[in-house]
C-alpha cells in the first residue's frame, strides 16, 4: 500500500523500495509484478524498460486475464522497438477489453509503422483516428 501511495505521489525511489519488498516474498502475485513494473517504467531508462517487461511477462503468466498487464507490456515492448511482440501483447489486451481506446490506437499506430501503404485498410477499427489521444504524463505509464 505504501508503495502505491509513493508511486501516485511520484516518489519513485520510495515506491520502488516498498514494491520490491512484495516481490521478495515466497510467491509474488501478478499485482506485485505489475506494480513494480509501473515504477520501473516511470523511472525510465533502457535497463528499467527491459526489467519492467520481464515483470509484466511474469504478471500475465500468473494472471492471464490481467488486461492492464497485457496493455502495459505491449506499450513497453513498443517503446523498446519490439513491434511484433508488442502487437501480440496488445492483441491479448484487446481480447480482454475490445473497446480499449489506448490499445486500439497503439495497435493502429504499430500497424501503420510496419505497413505504411495499408493505412485505412488494416484490421484495427479505424474509428480510433477520431478519438482524442490518451493524456500522457511523465514516464511511460504514470498514474
Amino acid at each position: 500500500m505504501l508503495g502505491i501511495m509513493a508511486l501516485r505521489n511520484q516518489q519513485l525511489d520510495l515506491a520502488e523500495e516498498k514494491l520490491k519488498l512484495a516481490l521478495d516474498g515466497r510467491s509474488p502475485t501478478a499485482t506485485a509484478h505489475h506494480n513494480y513494473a509501473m515504477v520501473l517504467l516511470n523511472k525510465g531508462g533502457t535497463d528499467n524498460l527491459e526489467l519492467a517487461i520481464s515483470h509484466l511477462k511474469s504478471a500475465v503468466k500468473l494472471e492471464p486475464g490481467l488486461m492492464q498487464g497485457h496493455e502495459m507490456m505491449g506499450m513497453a515492448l513498443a517503446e523498446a522497438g519490439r513491434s511484433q511482440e508488442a502487437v501480440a501483447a496488445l492483441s491479448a489486451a484487446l481480447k480482454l477489453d475490445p473497446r480499449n481506446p489506448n490499445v486500439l490506437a497503439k495497435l493502429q499506430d504499430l500497424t501503420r509503422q510496419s505497413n505504411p501503404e495499408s493505412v485505412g485498410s488494416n484490421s484495427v477499427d479505424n474509428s480510433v483516428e477520431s478519438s482524442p489521444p490518451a493524456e500522457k504524463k511523465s514516464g511511460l505509464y504514470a498514474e
Side-chain angles (χ1 to χ4, degrees):
M1 183 70 135
L2 290 174
I4 296 298
M5 290 173 60
L7 177 60
R8 287 186 179 145
N9 291 321
Q10 291 296 305
Q11 297 171 319
L12 300 179
D13 290 334
L14 178 61
E16 181 178 19
E17 175 189 330
K18 296 300 181 186
L19 291 170
K20 191 167 177 72
L21 290 175
L23 294 171
D24 291 338
R26 290 196 305 175
S27 56
T29 65
T31 301
H33 284 287
H34 177 268
N35 291 342
Y36 188 64
M38 284 178 50
V39 171
L40 294 169
L41 292 171
N42 276 282
K43 288 185 88 170
T46 304
D47 290 343
N48 285 336
L49 180 61
E50 291 302 323
L51 187 55
I53 290 168
S54 173
H55 280 283
L56 290 165
K57 286 181 178 182
S58 295
V60 299
K61 183 177 180 182
L62 289 168
E63 193 176 323
L66 183 64
M67 190 285 302
Q68 298 90 341
H70 291 285
E71 177 185 11
M72 191 181 300
M73 182 168 51
M75 300 294 186
L77 286 163
E79 182 76 16
R82 294 157 58 181
S83 297
Q84 287 183 326
E85 291 175 84
V87 167
L90 292 167
S91 295
L94 197 60
K95 286 180 184 175
L96 296 166
D97 184 3
R99 295 184 180 265
N100 184 309
N102 294 330
V103 173
L104 288 166
K106 192 60 176 180
L107 276 169
Q108 192 170 49
D109 182 49
L110 288 169
T111 301
R112 266 194 220 113
Q113 289 176 11
S114 67
N115 196 6
E117 65 274 359
S118 72
V119 172
S121 65
N122 61 49
S123 62
V124 177
D125 181 0
N126 288 319
S127 65
V128 172
E129 288 188 26
S130 62
S131 301
E135 182 180 328
K136 186 170 183 180
K137 298 179 183 176
S138 66
L140 182 63
Y141 256 89
E143 284 208 337

